[in-house]
Amino acid sequence: MVTLVLSSFSQASLRTAMDVDQDGKADYTIFRPSNNIWYTLRSSGEPVYTNFGIAGLDHMTPGDFDNDGKGDVAVWRETDGDWFWLNSSTGTFRSFHFGSPGDEPVARDYDGDGKTDLAVVRRQGGKMTWFVLRSTDGGFVQTEFGLATDFTAPGDYDGDGKFDFTVRRPGTTKTSAATFISLSSRTGTAVNTVWGQSADLAIPGDYDGDGTTDYAVLREGAALSDNLQWLIRKSTGGSIIEIFGITGADLNVQNDYDGDGKTDIAVYRHADGAFFVKRSLTGAIVPVIWGGANDYPVASYDTH
């Protein structure tokens, strides 16, 4: 198993959330709304099928809730604010009430203990409030951070092993500059970083492999046949602009599929039922046929 990024880094937990066999590589997983089944193709080539959740009601929220280094199948049901997940260590079903209708699930490892924490964001009174249930001690955290019109973009932007409350604030027009505002868990101060435009999608990831989340956005084209643009501001310095994918045909599914500690640029194409991954280890584009036209790629959950 390649472990170029230390497991203590929160950023590595995004890979773990999609790694069901604990080999250090994200596995290809799709959810089929017609039968509520999660189909996972392990990197070893072995498929796994799990009936879990209800299409149209549940948000997919994969994570490592039992800290065994494997991704757990998990959902949050907005209608009643309930979390449901399967502990991969024991195969046991768990549920917990946390949140209310209208909230947004943002489960991540905010306390740096290796476990995914239950968390939601609530927009009310023109403001955004983050509610987190710490897995370290069961403590409850309530933090007002961001405006109701902001988009969430949690990540470990300061590299301290804990996810930071982070929002992305759009400008006045679609092409206006947007600003990431991150509340550093290391210093307790807010850090503003201008990156991308208002209409871009936030796609956090560790694209340079230093264990720190990079500011990254995905820009769609004006026409459905236009290419997608990946704009990545590396925490190690410099930036990347990649043309990869097609507007209207592809969903971004960035993650570490080759196990080198770097987030790979990747898309899922509905028409082909295939993942296309540009591996950071070799630069090769690898297609993987898995899924169908009406399926949803679970890795797209980390898009804001």
Side-chain angles (χ1 to χ4, degrees):
M1 180 175 66
V2 178
T3 54
L4 299 183
V5 176
L6 298 177
S7 60
S8 60
F9 283 116
S10 289
Q11 181 58 46
S13 66
L14 293 177
R15 178 182 64 198
T16 302
M18 301 303 301
D19 179 11
V20 303
D21 51 8
Q22 200 182 6
D23 66 349
K25 300 177 182 179
D27 299 307
Y28 302 98
T29 301
I30 57 96
F31 174 77
R32 185 160 295 167
S34 61
N35 58 11
N36 296 315
I37 292 179
W38 298 53
Y39 293 86
T40 298
L41 181 64
R42 297 179 179 178
S43 46
S44 63
E46 181 185 0
V48 179
Y49 311 135
T50 308
N51 189 299
F52 202 81
I54 302 175
L57 286 181
D58 297 341
H59 297 262
M60 282 163 279
T61 58
D64 183 7
F65 296 90
D66 53 7
N67 196 23
D68 66 346
K70 298 180 182 180
D72 302 319
V73 174
V75 299
W76 182 70
R77 189 159 297 165
E78 183 178 356
T79 53
D80 46 19
D82 285 338
W83 297 79
F84 305 98
W85 70 94
L86 289 175
N87 280 335
S88 53
S89 57
T90 60
T92 54
F93 172 82
R94 295 292 308 277
S95 64
F96 198 88
H97 179 76
F98 192 74
S100 301
D103 292 346
E104 176 186 343
V106 285
R108 301 290 190 276
D109 181 11
Y110 294 96
D111 53 12
D113 67 344
K115 292 183 180 180
T116 301
D117 303 311
L118 303 183
V120 297
V121 158
R122 185 167 301 160
R123 294 174 171 86
Q124 60 184 8
K127 299 178 181 179
M128 183 183 292
T129 304
W130 300 66
F131 299 93
V132 178
L133 188 64
R134 292 194 306 254
S135 54
T136 47
D137 56 7
F140 173 73
V141 177
Q142 178 177 336
T143 304
E144 187 179 287
F145 188 74
L147 303 177
T149 51
D150 292 340
F151 298 95
T152 60
D156 183 10
Y157 295 95
D158 56 12
D160 68 344
K162 301 176 182 179
F163 271 77
D164 306 311
F165 301 140
T166 305
V167 299
R168 187 167 177 275
R169 186 161 297 166
T172 55
T173 69
K174 290 184 178 180
T175 57
S176 296
T179 303
F180 285 86
I181 308 172
S182 182
L183 183 62
S184 172
S185 54
R186 183 193 297 275
T187 65
T189 58
V191 179
N192 292 10
T193 303
V194 177
W195 189 250
Q197 298 177 353
S198 299
D200 296 339
L201 300 174
I203 49 170
D206 182 11
Y207 295 89
D208 54 10
D210 67 345
T212 301
T213 305
D214 302 311
Y215 297 104
V217 298
L218 184 71
R219 186 165 299 165
E220 298 178 318
L224 294 180
S225 58
D226 289 345
N227 290 120
L228 298 172
Q229 291 186 56
W230 301 65
L231 297 91
I232 301 162
R233 184 180 185 270
K234 298 188 295 182
S235 52
T236 52
S239 61
I240 302 172
I241 299 178
E242 287 279 353
I243 305 299
F244 194 79
I246 302 172
T247 300
D250 299 339
L251 287 178
N252 57 292
V253 289
Q254 71 279 357
N255 213 301
D256 182 9
Y257 295 95
D258 54 13
D260 68 344
K262 298 179 181 179
T263 299
D264 301 312
I265 291 172
V267 297
Y268 178 77
R269 186 160 298 163
H270 285 282
D272 302 326
F275 290 80
F276 293 89
V277 179
K278 186 171 184 179
R279 296 197 170 183
S280 54
L281 189 61
T282 63
I285 297 175
V286 180
V288 176
I289 305 299
W290 189 248
N294 296 317
D295 296 337
Y296 180 81
V298 178
S300 195
Y301 83 101
D302 193 30
T303 305
H304 315 273

